[in-house]
Amino acid sequence: GEDVEQSLFLSVREGDSSVINCTYTDSSSTYLYWYKQEPGAGLQLLTYIFSNMDMKQDQRLTVLLNKKDKHLSLRIADTQTGDSAIYFCAESMRNFNKFYFGSGTKLNVKP
Amino acid sequence: SAVISQKPSRDICQRGTSLTIQCQVDSQVTMMFWYRQQPGQSLTLIATANQGSEATYESGFVIDKFPISRPNLTFSTLTVSNMSPEDSSIYLCSVIYAGENIQYFGAGTRLSVL
């Protein structure tokens, strides 16, 4: 299978920016995704980026993709306590019948 | 966005029994998947539910333990059979709509086996 790796924990103060990083191994991935999982809930899609894009911005969220290094990041501006959750990156293959998920990064936002 | 109803939301079961989890979607989808998320871990794909035919199982998962049905394009069930405490996990249904490239998830079923 594919390897999608993330750091396990990130702690930031409320109002700061958070940057969650992800690396993947398969250069043939077509889309890359960020999902958020709050305690006791399923996965909520936050944003996604097509593999031929470098950047995508959506309100407080900025996704950066470095295809050469196979590195994906999610920046959350002005992080709030409600952003505390586990964030999963995922990649899909060409025909979308396989998605590979990272281990998840637990974001802790301190007031 | 998607409307995915997964039932039950949680259950506590006795060892040796079976539990059937239902996943109902608001409109027709091309693909439905079942995942397992063990405590503190990432998602592991159990199988792809195929409409009108046998599910496609991933390595390490077998039909006898996790029978899956998908009688139509909006509904699927996953049964966890002959449960043991090691089956305690969150089980998640996900779908992909025709023409889309996004996987949407249900809220999950939290299963505890005593």
Side-chain angles (χ1 to χ4, degrees):
Chain A
E2 304 307 322
D3 278 335
V4 181
E5 297 193 356
Q6 302 176 237
S7 53
L8 293 180
F9 299 102
L10 177 65
S11 185
V12 300
R13 294 214 168 271
E14 192 172 19
D16 288 349
S17 292
S18 308
V19 179
I20 303 171
N21 295 300
C22 172
T23 58
Y24 59 99
T25 56
D26 194 328
S27 57
S28 66
S29 58
T30 50
Y31 285 87
L32 296 123
Y33 309 82
W34 285 102
Y35 286 88
K36 176 183 180 183
Q37 186 178 36
E38 297 184 58
L43 272 71
Q44 171 198 351
L45 178 73
L46 285 179
T47 187
Y48 65 95
I49 188 168
F50 188 47
S51 57
N52 68 353
M53 296 171 63
D54 297 326
M55 186 183 92
K56 182 178 180 182
Q57 187 154 3
D58 183 2
Q59 298 182 339
R60 292 191 297 123
L61 305 179
T62 303
V63 178
L64 294 178
L65 175 60
N66 181 327
K67 202 169 180 186
K68 174 176 166 290
D69 294 339
K70 299 189 185 68
H71 182 265
L72 180 74
S73 68
L74 173 70
R75 179 177 180 269
I76 305 173
D78 187 25
T79 315
Q80 303 297 305
T81 54
D83 295 324
S84 292
I86 300 175
Y87 291 80
F88 291 94
C89 72
E91 60 172 343
S92 66
M93 298 302 115
R94 196 166 301 278
N95 55 2
F96 305 113
N97 67 348
K98 288 284 188 185
F99 278 65
Y100 297 97
F101 286 84
S103 54
T105 299
K106 186 170 185 178
L107 174 64
N108 179 41
V109 182
K110 301 177 199 173
Chain B
S1 63
V3 178
I4 304 171
S5 172
Q6 197 173 327
K7 294 179 181 178
S9 59
R10 60 178 66 243
D11 208 341
I12 300 173
C13 299
Q14 295 297 320
R15 182 196 297 260
T17 61
S18 298
L19 176 72
T20 295
I21 302 167
Q22 298 180 359
C23 181
Q24 177 74 56
V25 194
D26 59 333
S27 59
Q28 293 183 355
V29 294
T30 54
M31 304 191 80
M32 296 183 81
F33 304 95
W34 287 99
Y35 286 85
R36 180 174 73 183
Q37 185 180 23
Q38 293 180 299
Q41 300 203 16
S42 187
L43 282 70
T44 301
L45 180 64
I46 297 172
T48 303
N50 300 311
Q51 193 253 331
S53 64
E54 189 174 294
T56 304
Y57 289 85
E58 296 299 304
S59 174
F61 297 95
V62 295
I63 188 170
D64 289 346
K65 176 67 177 176
F66 297 102
I68 288 170
S69 79
R70 189 179 171 193
N72 56 50
L73 292 175
T74 63
F75 184 77
S76 177
T77 67
L78 167 74
T79 299
V80 186
S81 302
N82 188 24
M83 289 184 283
S84 67
E86 292 71 35
D87 294 319
S88 297
S89 284
I90 301 172
Y91 292 86
L92 293 152
C93 163
S94 72
V95 304
I96 299 178
Y97 290 89
E100 288 201 29
N101 54 294
I102 297 169
Q103 197 169 167
Y104 297 98
F105 285 84
T109 296
R110 279 143 192 82
L111 172 61
S112 295
V113 184
L114 304 179

